[in-house]
Amino acid sequence: MSICLCPGPLIDSGVKDKSVKRMQICRAEYRVIGRFVEQLRPTRQCMKTLQTQFPHLPPSTLLSIFSQEYQKRMKRSMARHHAPDVIKEYYQRYRSEAKTRPAAPLLLELANQVDLSPALLARLIVECFLEERQASVGASRHVLNNMLREPYLIPDLLLAKHVEQCTVNDCCYGPLVDCIKHAIGLEHEDLLRDKLRETHLSFLDENQLRAKGYDKTPDIILEVPIAVDGHIVHWIESKASFGDDHSHHTYLNEQFWSYCNRFGPGLVIYWYGFVSELDCQRDRGILLRDGFPLDIVTLCQGPARGRV
Amino acid sequence: IKEEFVPFLLNFLRDQSSQTLTHGPTTPAKTPSTSRSVRTQDFSDRRGNKSTPIQTSRSASRVQLFSPAPSVSPVSGRGEQETPFTGSHCLSGVSALSSPSFSSAWSPAPRNTPSERRSAQRPSLGDFMTSPPEAQQHRGRRRSGGFGGCASGRQTGPRGAVSEEGVRWDGGGRRSRGVGRIEPVSPPTQVQLNFNNLEDFPPVGAAQATKPSRRINPTPVSAERPNSKPKSCFISTPLSLPASPPAIPESAGAKLTAGSPHSLQEERELLRKERSKLAQQTSSPLKTTPVICTPTKTVHRQGSKVTPDPQSPCPDPNKVTQKSELDLLAELYCTCISENLVPCVFLELFFVLQLLTSHGVSVSESGEEAISFCEDNVLEKAYLGNVHNCVYFSVRVLENQFELVSHLDKCTLRLLSENERVGTFSSSLKDHLAQAQENCTAKVLPSPPMFVHSVPFQPATDNRSNFSSDRAFHTFKKQRDVFYGFLREWEDSHKEPGWDFEAALGSRVRMMVSQLTAAGSHSHFARLFQKQLIQMCKGPCVLGSSSDAPDADLLGMLGADSLGRLKRLQQRLVQPQGLIGPCPPPSFPGHQEFFKCFLQTASCCQLNQHLKDGLCQQLLKLDEVSILGPDASPARGEETGDGDMEQQDEKQRFSSVLLTARLLAKFLGFISFLPYQTSELPSRDIQDTAITLRSKSSPVLDVCAVLRSSVHRRRTILTVPWIVEFLSMLDHIGPLLPFYRTALCLLLQIYKMLLGRGGELCYMNQLLMVAVLGWLFQIPIFPEDLFFSTDPKEEVKELENITSSQGLDTLPLVDQQLLYTCCPYLGEFRKLLAAFVAGSTSKSGGLIRKITPTSAELRGPSTSRSQQKLQVDLEQAFFHNQPPSLRRTVEFVAERVGSNCVKHIKATLVLELVKGGEKTLRDSLGLEGVNTAKLNDSICAQLCDAGMQALETATSENAPGAVRVLLPLETSPSVLTTAESITTRLATEKACSWLSANITSTLLKREWKSAFGRVMKSVPSSVSLDAEEGEGSNCTHKVPLGSEVMIEIKVIIANWVSEKLYKLVKTDSLKTGGLLMVIYTKYNLMLRNEKSTKLLKGNTQFTQLLSETISYQKCFIVN
């Protein structure tokens, strides 16, 4: 499973153009990108800027990197934005501005101003709005989520309009993005399965494994192991995102090592590339790739093996 | 008398040679409880100033000055033997016996190295004090302490040996030179010793102080000595000392730095100063003027030293004295060895090789010596007083014990046969050795697997239904990962200096174990632990010891001559590796250390109990394993038939079983005796209490019963080696308990009676058992008194009641590889000989410096691994995640099918082919001028081809069907296909290997064998590895993906919403937006619920819906 968002019609670049564009980035270059995206906002314009800045990288990779960096940024500034007085201030500002110029993209502007994800801001504002209306009773999560997903449920039409504007314009957060990310993850898992079938490799997928009672389940377990680049591969995990240090280490501890500990060495595919230095655990059983491997060695079938 | 004879002889030989032997670790003295050898080892002798750590500590180990200092702490284990002597000079960690492999060694009680133990039994300075010289020849004297004395003597505790033993005069003054620096606390002396005489009292403390001289500074050395005389210069350093040491500031001498290069003269000068300084130190505390009250012999000796021979004596057969006596001695000695009357056969062999490589004193000197020594006493004659006699004796013994020697590894044989001394003294031995080397067919150790597999998750034993609760299941899930995390962390960092298991992982390990306790899933973890242990530690592959392999290869490749040069070159580059002698204390090499530390740190009784249960169960299961002998039916001549092929498999299986059992037994012993381990031997009272207490509870494993049954059923070759491992872990009290004492006695009886007589046992089997038992009898835990005191006949009658006519013992199961894997210390012979070649013995006391591989490239990066190896790995990997039964089935079918094919071929095909071949041969030989070589070749090739084809057809016809029938119906097709093809391949391989081994040898002359072998081998070697080229990334999804469409729509709406905001369209627009959301949500739901690929590929309905929405929205925009 994975998390990434692809902007506009660029989705296929991750799949089709990878032969053209390099997706393994050395750590130094990654830092350069990281520094550059610090100043960006989660808007389409910013994504364009990013692409022009690093034209040699596939847009999907860039977006994935940005998305992850942006999420880290948001987590860091969470406390700052979530202080009750700050939230109150945001809400008051929105209220007063909505009176003067209701047609302006108020929340977007505000989000931009305070460097907060528009979708997150919208959430904060709606939360305030609900609190205000229902007096002391805190709005349930469920109601809140529904309102963000379907803004017309918000009794205040103008606010609904602005909230919708936020969720559709945010490329890192929001119900739409979550939905898209989920879809991308599944799509890549499916892509992986297709490739395996094409290569006539038989495998058990996550659901079959779970049914058998495995306690940890990679996306794929190969029934007959293969070798990639001289390394044995028992399992394959698909990650439709860019493998940066932070996410990779999280995955290592939560997933990859566990797989290794149970099924032996395996392969992780970061479809949107990864920091090349991270591919250092090959001898310990974790091989990284940015696409389906083409250099697969299989156990030679048939009795003819050994004779030539 | 009979009882005391052997130890007497052994000690006599050691005493005799003590002055000539200067290198390598000591061969311990034999000290039975009743007779004690009073024996000093003077190593840092006349050449005392070369005092290398080994020598000094050795002298320390041989001779105990007084009871060791009470400050002995268990921690300082290695350095211990020096502490008492060196006082402030003592640098912990600098110890002769601390070789890399040793440092991680764990001895059952962290109390000693063998030498240290030995030290306590050897004469203390007290021995020199009172006894009159007349007592000299009474070597075997009763220890005042008796058994207790022995036991306590072993312990370098406060209960000093001196007080107990009283004071005695040593066998002779010349032997007194081993005595270390005297302590100020010395009891009143009756005999005054010349403490200034460094020969008599070599500066033990010099081990550290003179260490700088160990620095390799070969330039001046090489100038003076040709390769053949590697030791000349340092040996011949003038040794005479001025009676009053020159005034040298102590500080100057003590801290000689290794930095500046010295010329040889400078070096010598420094050494001289060093010695005198030490002499000063030695004598000063006594405040007595050194008097020449030392026995006259020493004076003689000293006198002889004044004329140093600048050349190392070259052993000369013509200069051997007392030949007939030596012959007699050798014969006696050999009988003792052959009859297993000595505790450790290989230790004696080591001693003999030490004699062979000894760097004795010069001819004139030793000649004089020999004469000057007690001409009146037969026993006091210096039979081995010079290097000629030593080498002569050694060569005689080697000749006599040729069968034993010829079973050593190829490198050792080569070094031995190329040893110039062997050549000079016995050309026939040299020839025999060379021949044995040729015949040595030991295989090269297979390279260890590149990656370490984890223990596979098997749903049958590991899924939720095997746990009592969800919580237990999930806890174990976590703990499994945590455990592997520790393992990885340990691998990464345990070699870093200062890294400590307890400090780094201690609290986390305990936390983990306590969580297991809370969840009650110890049995699961114990099983994981045990499996992982076997997986990682079973083989000979040992972390870090891989550096041994290239060394061995190198030796084989280069031979002695060029090796000598190479070695000297290396000396400057790499770390020294000490000789540790053939009886190192038990250790936990490689990954075993992790498991050992884990258990120690966790110290969790629940875990230990579960482990004990599991280990016991598996051990007994392994012990019962049935190994098939060769078919009884075929006649003797047909021994090379298919029985041989099967035998090879059985041999491999046996080796695997044996190694696993040894590993498990060691850990079972470790866990079982862990609660009783103490750093020091408890006092007698405590001992008695403990014995009474512990005799009541039943032991973890009925070792005696297992042993007896194994003797009866003739399965000792499997049982004894693992029992030895188990017992080597005993704690201090353990051997004193009646139960374990019985077990040890049983082993002794097996050693003396069953093995000593030879006969029914297969020679290599016997050799393995002799090696492991000999090792056990020498390691610290084995009670010293036991070997010579027990009467072997006691229980033999019972043991002789053998019920089974045929058992494992009579099968040829052990090969050289297994022998060396089980007894890595046999490699010490090679090291000793190589060190002699390298000439490094003189300077570094038997240290051999080894190549330390510095780059990982040597290990072979993955890319360079041959494709074939990859295939093998893949095959192994295939079985990894499959149920174990799959592997068993495949192996079984392959074995049977292969065997049947061979039988078939033998019965039908070979006969025809041979007939045809013979006919062609005869016809062609009739004609003159026919190239028989070519003819033979072609016939053989035809034969092989035909045979191979027949084999292939037969195996591929039979194997898949059999596998299919035997595997469960539910097996997935690809697994089945793979299993079938592996089976077929294995079967064919087995049959082929038989074919290549037999058709050629039965049909054609031996000379052609290798050529045909090559033909045969070339066939199966090239493996086609056409990787299936995947289609690559050009997978095209014809229909736009759902996410694609959504993103597009999102953009459209985004634009549209901002437009509409201007117009403030109310409900309608929102409704569209809402609709979109509904669609999104629905899409998500569909994804979750159906996971249908159809949907992902672009569900038409869905796309339609989307496009409708878009047009709907567009309507709005238009509106």
Short mmCIF file of all heavy atoms in Angstrom, two decimals, chain B residues 160 190 334 494 1089:
data_model
loop_
_atom_site.label_atom_id
_atom_site.label_comp_id
_atom_site.label_asym_id
_atom_site.label_seq_id
_atom_site.Cartn_x
_atom_site.Cartn_y
_atom_site.Cartn_z
N GLY B 160 46.81 -21.35 48.72
CA GLY B 160 47.99 -21.54 47.89
C GLY B 160 48.46 -22.97 47.89
O GLY B 160 48.19 -23.73 48.79
N GLN B 190 65.77 -21.96 52.09
CA GLN B 190 66.87 -22.77 52.57
C GLN B 190 67.96 -22.84 51.52
O GLN B 190 69.13 -22.84 51.82
CB GLN B 190 66.38 -24.17 52.88
CG GLN B 190 65.31 -24.12 53.96
CD GLN B 190 65.08 -25.46 54.53
OE1 GLN B 190 65.67 -26.43 54.08
NE2 GLN B 190 64.24 -25.54 55.53
N CYS B 334 55.46 -44.42 21.42
CA CYS B 334 54.51 -44.73 20.37
C CYS B 334 53.50 -45.77 20.84
O CYS B 334 52.32 -45.72 20.48
CB CYS B 334 55.23 -45.26 19.14
SG CYS B 334 56.09 -43.96 18.27
N HIS B 494 29.13 -6.09 17.23
CA HIS B 494 29.82 -6.80 18.32
C HIS B 494 31.33 -6.79 18.17
O HIS B 494 32.04 -7.10 19.11
CB HIS B 494 29.31 -8.23 18.45
CG HIS B 494 29.82 -9.16 17.39
ND1 HIS B 494 29.35 -9.14 16.11
CD2 HIS B 494 30.77 -10.12 17.42
CE1 HIS B 494 29.98 -10.06 15.40
NE2 HIS B 494 30.84 -10.67 16.17
N ASN B 1089 -14.23 -3.09 -1.62
CA ASN B 1089 -15.01 -4.31 -1.49
C ASN B 1089 -14.69 -5.33 -2.56
O ASN B 1089 -14.61 -6.51 -2.29
CB ASN B 1089 -16.50 -3.99 -1.51
CG ASN B 1089 -16.87 -3.13 -0.33
OD1 ASN B 1089 -16.15 -3.12 0.66
ND2 ASN B 1089 -17.95 -2.39 -0.46
#
